[in-house]
Structures are given as structure tokens and as C-alpha cells.
């Protein structure tokens, strides 16, 4: 990322402090497609406003992404909640995709929770509405938020400690590998077969670049995918975005309880 992008994140963090009257935040949550109802379970916001009120943020371009930012006090923690994200397929570049995470890091966040809607690659064990803790990732986007000779160890992108805490809240949670591709097209059946062979369990169009940026900044990362559809070629029918949003609404209560219970433990 360029020095200008770092400076823009610092500017956004300063504006964030002014808008919320909160000097620093403990945890940031990025809510994926259909996850906005789950965010409501975290409690009444201390502050809420459009992300575009801060420097460097683009307006929302996808249904199910509200394009708003909330500050919420949860279990003694100051939580920064991004209701939506920028995706690589929007064409705004990698810096725009990771700008929210970089802003959170500049606001002293050291725990980042990344959520997403995902296609399930293991219909033999998964059903629509199942949450999956991300244990590792396959970055198939062809992009990276780091440039130049900046070598980052990614042995543990997603924190074992945080996954264990999540399973204390919900012992039924499964784990899996998240594969990300650029989008906006859904995957072909052949691509899904390839990803299954590579070891992926869920697939989507986000998260991996944000996770890399968070780890580069020294934050612990927890990733949670919500299976909102069975991937192409593994079930009857075609895929559409409304199916994704409907699955998110149906799972909102369970996901909201998980997040609200988990945050005080972090």
C-alpha cells in the first residue's frame, strides 16, 4: 500500500474519533452481505453515520451492504462496526478494499472480525444457514494489499485463540478453508470442482485481502462465513444475490447472539 493510503487511513481515524467522541477502539467488525440484521443484536449504537463521512470510503455498491459505520459499546469493549465493505470487483483498487481495516488499525483496533456470505462447497456436511469459522484461506483474487519486498508470515492468518473462544459460545461451529475469487461472476461448476480439490470448504468474493491487511498491522483476525447457498454444480438451480440476503436474514438471530456473546470474551 502506498504512503498516501496509510495517511488516508490515519485521516479517517482522526475523523472517526471526532465523530464518535471515542479515542480508541478495541475490536472492528466488517459485516458481509446479509449480516446487517445480526449487527443489530450488538446493542444500541453510541454513534452511527455513513462511511462516506470519513475520508477514503466509497458509497455502497451492493445490496445488503448498508454503507454505514456504527460505534457500539459491548461488554466493556468499544466496537467499530462496518455495515458493508468495498469489493475488488467494484474496480476501485486494492487500497479501497482494505481501507476500512486500515482505518480500524489506525484507531488502535487489535482484533478484527471479518464476516461474509459464502457458497458452500461441502453439501455432504453443510446446509444453507450454517456458519463456518475460517481456519485458513486461498487467495485466488490475483491481488494483494502489500507491495514491494514486504514479506509477511501467513502461517496463522485466522487466530486459533479466537476460534476457540467462538466454539466456547457455540460448540457446534464447523471450521473450513475460505477461497476468494475476484467476482462479480459466480463460479463455474468446473471452478468449484477445482476449489474442492484444492481443499476449500466455502467460497466468496471478499475477506482475504482484509485479513492480510489486518495481519500486516498486527491484529488478531477471526473470520466467519455464513453458507448462503450451495455452490454452482453441487445443487439444482441457479444462483442469485437475493438468495444470499434471504439466508442472512434467516440466520440473523443465531449470528447476532454469537457476536454479542463473543465480544466480551475477546
Amino acid at each position: 500500500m502506498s504512503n498516501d493510503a496509510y495517511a488516508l487511513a490515519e485521516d479517517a481515524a482522526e475523523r472517526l474519533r471526532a465523530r464518535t467522541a471515542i479515542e480508541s477502539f478495541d475490536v472492528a467488525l466488517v459485516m458481509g452481505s446479509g449480516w446487517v440484521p445480526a449487527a443489530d443484536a450488538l446493542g444500541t449504537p453510541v454513534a452511527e453515520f455513513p462511511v462516506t463521512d470519513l475520508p477514503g470510503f466509497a458509497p455502497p455498491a451492493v445490496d445488503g451492504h448498508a454503507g454505514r459505520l456504527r460505534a457500539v459499546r459491548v461488554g466493556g469493549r468499544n466496537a467499530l462496526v462496518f455495515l458493508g465493505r468495498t469489493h475488488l470487483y467494484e474496480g476501485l483498487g486494492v487500497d479501497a478494499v482494505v481501507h476500512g481495516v486500515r482505518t480500524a488499525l489506525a484507531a488502535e483496533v487489535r482484533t478484527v472480525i471479518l464476516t461474509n456470505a459464502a457458497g458452500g462447497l461441502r453439501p455432504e456436511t453443510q446446509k444453507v444457514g450454517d456458519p463456518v469459522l475460517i481456519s485458513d484461506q486461498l487467495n485466488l483474487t490475483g491481488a494483494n494489499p502489500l507491495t514491494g519486498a514486504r514479506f509477511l508470515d501467513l502461517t496463522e492468518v485466522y487466530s486459533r485463540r479466537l476460534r476457540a473462544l467462538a466454539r466456547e459460545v457455540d460448540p457446534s461451529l464447523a471450521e473450513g478453508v475460505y477461497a476468494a475469487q475476484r467476482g462479480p461472476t459466480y463460479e463455474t461448476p468446473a471452478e468449484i470442482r477445482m476449489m474442492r480439490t484444492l481443499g476449500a470448504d466455502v467460497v466468496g468474493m471478499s475477506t482475504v485481502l482484509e485479513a492480510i491487511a489486518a495481519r500486516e498491522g498486527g491484529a488478531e483476525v477471526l473470520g466467519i462465513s455464513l453458507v448462503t447457498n450451495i455452490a454452482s454444480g453441487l445443487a439444482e438451480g441457479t444462483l442469485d444475490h437475493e438468495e444470499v440476503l434471504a439466508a442472512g436474514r434467516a440466520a440473523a438471530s443465531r449470528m447476532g447472539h454469537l457476536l454479542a456473546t463473543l465480544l466480551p470474551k475477546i
Side-chain angles (χ1 to χ4, degrees), residues 10-25 46-49 53-55 69 71 80 103 107:
E10 292 286 351
D11 289 346
E14 283 301 314
R15 185 78 60 84
L16 173 66
R17 293 184 180 99
R19 286 297 307 267
T20 62
I22 296 173
E23 187 60 28
S24 63
F25 289 84
V46 175
E48 179 174 346
F49 50 88
D53 285 1
L54 303 184
L69 191 152
L80 184 62
T103 297

Side-chain angles (χ1 to χ4, degrees), residues 45-259:
V46 175
E48 179 174 346
F49 50 88
V51 291
T52 51
D53 285 1
L54 303 184
F57 284 91
V62 185
D63 288 343
H65 290 257
R68 298 187 67 82
L69 191 152
R70 288 179 183 173
V72 186
R73 186 77 174 166
V74 185
R77 305 288 192 273
N78 288 325
L80 184 62
V81 185
F82 293 92
L83 302 180
R85 55 161 52 94
T86 295
H87 300 81
L88 196 59
Y89 59 72
E90 294 173 43
L92 301 177
V94 175
D95 284 344
V97 172
V98 302
H99 182 58
V101 167
R102 296 289 187 181
T103 297
L105 294 171
E108 301 185 23
V109 162
R110 289 298 172 261
T111 302
V112 175
I113 299 176
L114 302 172
T115 73
N116 60 56
L121 302 185
R122 308 292 172 181
E124 61 275 15
T125 57
Q126 295 170 346
K127 63 181 184 299
V128 171
D130 283 352
V132 177
L133 296 175
I134 303 176
S135 59
D136 208 342
Q137 66 183 35
L138 292 171
N139 181 5
L140 306 179
T141 68
N144 197 303
L146 277 63
T147 57
R150 301 170 65 190
F151 305 110
L152 177 67
D153 176 34
L154 295 180
T155 302
E156 187 177 329
V157 182
Y158 299 95
S159 167
R160 290 187 180 91
R161 184 185 76 88
L162 294 180
R163 298 202 308 272
L165 288 176
R167 287 193 301 272
E168 287 180 8
V169 176
D170 187 347
S172 70
L173 287 170
E175 293 193 3
V177 175
Y178 178 84
Q181 53 94 31
R182 186 184 187 96
T185 54
Y186 290 109
E187 304 75 28
T188 68
E191 289 167 340
I192 293 301
R193 291 194 297 271
M194 175 193 72
M195 292 178 193
R196 280 169 56 95
T197 300
L198 291 174
D201 300 291
V202 286
V203 60
M205 305 175 191
S206 68
T207 303
V208 297
L209 303 182
E210 293 159 306
I212 292 170
R215 291 299 298 130
E216 192 248 349
E220 274 191 292
V221 179
L222 177 68
I224 309 174
S225 291
L226 181 66
V227 177
T228 51
N229 60 274
I230 300 302
S232 176
L234 300 180
E236 297 296 327
T238 57
L239 306 178
D240 67 83
H241 192 60
E242 180 52 41
E243 179 184 14
V244 170
L245 300 182
R249 290 190 292 268
S253 178
R254 181 183 180 185
M255 295 299 93
H257 172 74
L258 171 63
L259 294 174

